[in-house]
Amino acid sequence: MSYFSNIIIFFLIFINFAHAENLLKIGISDDNSYPYYFKQAARFQGLEVDLIKEIAHELNLQIQINAFPFKELANELKKNNIDLIISMVSETPERKAKYALSNPYICTYGTFLFRNEKAKLDFSRANRKNRTPLTIGVYNGTRYHKYAVSIAENKNLKVQAFSSHDLAMGAFDAKKLDIVLSEYFLMKDHQSRHRAASYVMGDNAFVEKLVIMTSKNNQNLIDKINPVLKKMHFDGRLASLSQKYLKTNLLCN
């Protein structure tokens, strides 16, 4: 092999290494959760996609978005197939203990969506023990699931967990559920797209602080991201993203 050929090979290896060092691999759920992330024209778009692009630009990094089922994202992180997760991940004590989390960028709500006014009224009534249980659908393994289980006995609820948000909503539309519990804007969007069904929004159950998540041994990446989030908070870019996609300002104090 000639000296010139060796130089070319070395140069290509160097370029690939430099690209890898400059590449941030993002894990996102493979479902559509408008307005946070969704596919349009075969490209991911949404509040969280725009946010991670802004962060990467500030850090002089390129991004590669990798889609997986939500329940597999943590495992992909463990296998180093992705560097971080931004996919409507809420801050919980369990996650804070196990992972490195960014400061919250949006504070939203877990909210109920009822099939009709009767279901909402039945849910709100006291002493439901003697009534037929209402069936509530949730995404399995999420904070919504945990919360539904915690109130099930008092509210006389039958909790049905699904392997994805989309499956839970499909069962709701098919009249197999009386209630679903999920993120406020996902519920609001679903209600607006099914006006003929006369779905009814309920009260907010709890506050959700959305964060970016990575492994504990990648805390240095979070330490770089947090100042960018703080900068975007003060210069108005976070508020602009919230207004663009949520039509309101849901920044955390």
Side-chain angles (χ1 to χ4, degrees), residues 2-252:
S2 68
Y3 173 79
F4 183 70
S5 298
N6 286 331
I7 290 294
I8 292 176
I9 291 171
F10 175 81
F11 179 75
L12 291 174
I13 292 173
F14 175 79
I15 291 295
N16 287 333
F17 176 78
H19 177 71
E21 288 289 295
N22 196 45
L23 182 66
L24 194 61
K25 293 177 288 186
I26 311 300
I28 200 166
S29 181
D30 62 0
D31 60 348
N32 286 312
S33 291
Y34 182 89
Y36 292 96
Y37 56 88
F38 54 95
K39 264 193 172 181
Q40 194 169 71
R43 295 178 60 188
F44 276 106
Q45 300 185 47
L47 187 153
E48 292 183 321
V49 176
D50 284 2
L51 173 60
I52 200 62
K53 286 180 178 178
E54 286 280 349
I55 291 171
H57 177 74
E58 288 280 342
L59 298 177
N60 196 29
L61 297 172
Q62 301 297 315
I63 65 169
Q64 179 187 86
I65 297 178
N66 304 276
F68 303 93
F70 185 83
K71 64 181 180 181
E72 294 180 14
L73 284 171
N75 194 43
E76 294 299 323
L77 189 66
K78 185 178 180 179
K79 294 189 293 186
N80 294 319
N81 289 335
I82 54 177
D83 299 310
L84 53 82
I85 299 169
I86 181 166
S87 192
M88 294 187 65
V89 175
S90 57
E91 179 186 271
T92 65
E94 295 82 4
R95 285 182 178 138
K96 287 183 75 172
K98 193 173 181 180
Y99 300 97
L101 307 180
S102 74
N103 294 333
Y105 51 87
I106 288 290
C107 284
T108 181
Y109 310 96
T111 304
F112 299 100
L113 183 65
F114 298 92
R115 174 158 303 287
N116 48 44
E117 287 288 353
K118 182 181 182 302
K120 183 177 181 180
L121 179 61
D122 283 349
F123 179 80
S124 65
R125 285 174 177 161
N127 301 318
R128 282 197 32 86
K129 293 292 184 181
N130 297 324
R131 300 178 184 274
T132 303
L134 295 173
T135 302
I136 182 169
V138 286
Y139 191 166
N140 187 32
T142 62
R143 190 179 179 190
Y144 312 113
H145 186 191
K146 185 176 181 180
Y147 184 85
V149 170
S150 73
I151 66 171
E153 183 177 359
N154 183 52
K155 290 288 187 180
N156 196 20
L157 297 176
K158 179 183 177 182
V159 179
Q160 189 168 346
F162 295 84
S163 60
S164 74
H165 171 79
D166 291 343
L167 287 176
M169 299 314 299
F172 185 70
D173 294 335
K175 301 182 180 181
K176 296 178 181 179
L177 302 171
D178 302 296
I179 316 166
V180 282
L181 172 62
S182 190
E183 192 273 337
Y184 174 83
F185 286 95
L186 299 189
M187 298 293 90
K188 188 176 180 181
D189 176 65
H190 197 84
Q191 181 194 42
S192 68
R193 290 189 288 106
H194 296 79
R195 295 186 186 278
S198 301
Y199 295 155
V200 179
M201 293 285 287
D203 296 331
N204 297 324
F206 51 80
V207 174
E208 274 205 290
K209 297 181 179 181
L210 300 187
V211 296
I212 300 169
M213 186 171 87
T214 189
S215 57
K216 280 287 190 183
N217 60 13
N218 213 5
Q219 179 66 47
N220 63 322
L221 179 56
I222 294 297
D223 292 339
K224 294 177 182 178
I225 288 173
N226 279 334
V228 177
L229 288 173
K230 184 176 181 180
K231 180 180 178 181
M232 291 180 66
H233 184 102
F234 284 106
D235 67 18
R237 278 180 289 169
L238 269 181
S240 294
L241 286 177
S242 183
Q243 288 290 345
K244 177 181 178 180
Y245 289 103
L246 308 178
K247 311 305 179 188
T248 187
N249 190 338
L250 282 185
L251 302 191
C252 303

